[in-house]
Amino acid sequence: MKRKIEFASHPANLSSVRNLVRQFAMDAQLPDAQVELIVLGVDEACANIIRHVYGAETRLIGLSCEQLETGLRFRLRDYGEQGREPAQWCGRALESIQPGGLGLHLIRSAFDHVDYRPKRNGMELVLTKYFKRG
């Protein structure tokens, strides 16, 4: 099973993205708590692209959702200028009490594997969640 969409980098579009990701994860019969964490992680990754990559400029974001034998994979593709290398990105310290800066922590806790792949024009973020079936 695979779904692909492209959407404009505007916060108003995130509700539709969340609904798509939620339905996709529910179709894979994941527990509700896992579904919501996946939705939150993809939403945060999209919000990071909108805020930190594109800023006020409206551009395209691509989202691919894929069910694998071993789990779910989400690919987010942007076409912006990246600045620092992904290895240099970090959220704020968890002990620090202040708003913001927890997005990367959230994404990393929602997915088993987070891979930033620089492209000639932009970045592809690959988020993988493995099935934990008993």
Side-chain angles (χ1 to χ4, degrees):
M1 178 167 56
K2 193 170 188 177
R3 294 193 187 137
K4 288 177 126 178
I5 63 167
E6 284 189 324
F7 59 97
S9 62
H10 190 280
N13 293 326
L14 293 181
S15 175
S16 296
V17 171
R18 287 190 300 270
N19 290 338
L20 174 99
V21 170
R22 182 176 289 110
Q23 190 59 56
F24 191 83
M26 287 172 55
D27 289 349
Q29 301 178 353
L30 294 176
D32 289 345
Q34 252 186 354
V35 168
E36 292 308 314
L37 192 56
I38 287 169
V39 170
L40 196 57
V42 172
D43 181 69
E44 182 61 32
C46 291
N48 282 351
I49 292 169
I50 292 169
R51 181 179 211 179
H52 300 294
V53 178
Y54 291 150
E57 186 178 1
T58 301
R59 298 191 48 198
L60 283 180
I61 298 173
L63 170 62
S64 169
C65 310
E66 183 179 6
Q67 184 169 340
L68 312 169
E69 283 186 35
T70 57
L72 299 180
R73 180 165 293 145
F74 301 89
R75 296 174 187 269
L76 283 164
R77 178 73 161 93
D78 72 65
Y79 302 92
E81 307 232 354
Q82 299 305 319
R84 295 184 303 170
E85 289 296 312
Q88 298 175 330
W89 300 345
C90 62
R92 70 166 165 81
L94 293 174
E95 305 80 39
S96 177
I97 308 296
Q98 64 184 32
L102 295 176
L104 292 175
H105 295 296
L106 190 148
I107 293 166
R108 289 179 182 135
S109 68
F111 294 95
D112 298 308
H113 190 76
V114 176
D115 187 23
Y116 293 91
R117 298 178 180 172
K119 300 293 184 182
R120 181 187 303 201
N121 182 16
M123 179 77 67
E124 179 183 53
L125 171 58
V126 182
L127 306 167
T128 307
K129 182 68 176 176
Y130 297 110
F131 297 137
K132 292 178 176 59
R133 305 203 195 254

